[in-house]
Amino acid sequence: MLYQAEFWVAVAFVLLMAVFAYFGIHHTVLKALDHRAARIKAELDDARQLRDEAAKLLAEYKARHAKAEGEAQEIIAFAKAEAERIASEAKTKLEDFVARRTKTAESKIALAEAQALADVRAAAANAAVTAASAILSQSVTGSVADDLLTKGIAEVKAKLN
């Protein structure tokens, strides 16, 4: 038994443990493990706190995004309504402008027609007077002719004008 390696390894292990116990190494190892456990626990607490803050920030940004989205939709709806209103006003103004221009053109046309009709009547009256005076001057002579001519011209002018 004294010549077996396992025996001497067991003896050395027991002696090593006795030396460690004598110098209080086990207390040092336990303190180091306790410190490490406390440090890990603190890191985990910090990580939880950071995760909670991140979740809070995420919720806040989502709320801001939703609010901004709603405001954008309101702006778009207002712009569409404003564009429709402006288009409607422009259409109404254009229709009024076209109606006024049409009335003005129609009144100018009517005035031109009346002027042309008056010019035609005057030209016809002058032509009739000239023709009547030419016919009467050739067929009737003397004072009777002059009276008839004057009377006929007056009648024609009165009827045509």
Side-chain angles (χ1 to χ4, degrees):
M1 179 157 131
L2 291 175
Y3 296 110
Q4 292 180 354
E6 289 85 10
F7 172 73
W8 289 110
V9 168
V11 169
F13 180 73
V14 170
L15 285 176
L16 181 65
M17 288 298 137
V19 169
F20 282 170
Y22 178 75
F23 287 111
I25 299 282
H26 65 285
H27 292 296
T28 308
V29 170
L30 289 175
K31 281 183 185 177
L33 289 175
D34 287 341
H35 286 304
R36 183 170 180 188
R39 191 181 76 232
I40 290 172
K41 184 177 183 292
E43 287 177 1
L44 286 174
D45 290 341
D46 287 343
R48 277 191 206 105
Q49 184 180 6
L50 289 174
R51 186 188 71 208
D52 292 343
E53 288 176 9
K56 188 189 295 185
L57 283 175
L58 178 64
E60 184 179 321
Y61 283 123
K62 282 184 179 180
R64 283 186 188 172
H65 177 71
K67 183 179 178 183
E69 190 75 28
E71 288 175 358
Q73 292 299 328
E74 288 176 9
I75 290 170
I76 289 170
F78 177 75
K80 284 181 181 179
E82 189 69 16
E84 288 175 3
R85 184 187 62 79
I86 290 172
S88 174
E89 286 178 5
K91 182 179 177 184
T92 303
K93 286 180 182 179
L94 180 65
E95 288 173 354
D96 290 345
F97 176 75
V98 168
R100 279 187 274 128
R101 292 294 257 182
T102 302
K103 278 186 174 180
T104 304
E106 288 173 351
S107 65
K108 285 182 180 179
I109 290 170
L111 184 62
E113 285 178 351
Q115 184 64 37
L117 187 59
D119 290 345
V120 168
R121 282 186 178 168
N126 286 336
V129 168
T130 306
S133 53
I135 291 172
L136 289 175
S137 65
Q138 290 175 357
S139 62
V140 178
T141 56
S143 67
V144 173
D146 289 336
D147 284 341
L148 282 176
L149 183 59
T150 307
K151 192 177 177 183
I153 289 172
E155 283 182 20
V156 169
K157 281 185 179 180
K159 287 183 180 178
L160 291 177
N161 285 331

